[in-house]
Amino acid sequence: MVARAVAAPPPPTTRDSDILEAPTTWADVLVMPEDPGKRQEIIGGELTVSPSPGLDHQTVLDEIYARLSAHVRALGLGRIFGSSVDVKASEYDVVVPDLLFVTAARQDIIRRDAQTIDEPPDLVLEIISPGSAARRRDRIQKLAFYARFGVAEYWLVDPVARTWETLILEGGVYRPLPPEGTIYRSRVVDGFAIDAAEVFAALDALDATDDDAGDVTGDAVAVAGDLDEAVEPVAGTEDAG
């Protein structure tokens, strides 16, 4: 596959149909009723509400978080946050990455009393959920947002296609950083490399667990059938009496 630059598209232009509907702001989101398990994000004033991620999504996120966290903590490189921190570029642009990293040199952008991070993280990760809408959001809308905001490195991971992309921001454009086989290195996290094949192997472990559960269920049904056959003659004897 030929590596190519990924340019961030310009912000959407205003259409006549858009004037009739006021854009959503961060203030609007704060007063909305809580919807447990849902993720509310705004890009260009457009509100998107996403359902809770599936098991594949969470499994891949756990694998990446564990490896990255161990490396960052061991070397004191900065702070990592999971999908619970809002990144706010403006009142009309607030997203929730699956994972973000801030280097030790920029810890001042993290404030304990703040609800959001208002400066660009050094690295964000998005795991693509199934469906064309989710794919478009991560590959187009969020890519453009992160580029405009100035996020230096963007990891885009697809558990279904089992693909990994490490994108580096250069001159306002994301350019792919080619892997070494299945090993992907980071320019932002010093000395960090991750084997995408090992990450996706965790999904195979899930499949094996499902197969084992199916075998157990099948055995239980077979045993129940044997018991029914053993009881039937007894029932017949009682009726005869």
Side-chain angles (χ1 to χ4, degrees), residues 21 23-25 28-29 32 39-49 92 94:
E21 185 175 349
T24 302
T25 68
D28 296 329
V29 172
M32 289 179 181
R39 180 183 299 186
Q40 297 172 318
E41 299 178 298
I42 317 167
I43 297 179
E46 180 181 352
L47 175 66
T48 299
V49 180
Y92 304 97
V94 185

Side-chain angles (χ1 to χ4, degrees), residues 42-121:
I42 317 167
I43 297 179
E46 180 181 352
L47 175 66
T48 299
V49 180
S50 306
S52 300
L55 190 57
D56 284 0
H57 182 121
Q58 193 60 48
T59 297
V60 168
L61 177 58
D62 289 348
E63 292 292 322
I64 297 171
Y65 187 96
R67 288 165 169 77
L68 182 60
S69 179
H71 181 84
V72 169
R73 288 175 179 271
L75 300 179
L77 298 177
R79 292 284 302 278
I80 301 173
F81 295 93
S83 53
S84 59
V85 176
D86 298 308
V87 174
K88 179 184 174 187
S90 73
E91 284 296 313
Y92 304 97
D93 296 282
V94 185
V95 299
V96 188
D98 285 310
L99 179 151
L100 66 85
F101 166 73
V102 179
T103 62
R106 300 183 64 235
Q107 292 299 292
D108 59 319
I109 75 172
I110 303 171
R111 302 190 308 275
R112 291 181 60 188
D113 59 343
Q115 292 180 297
T116 61
I117 291 180
D118 300 337
E119 299 290 335

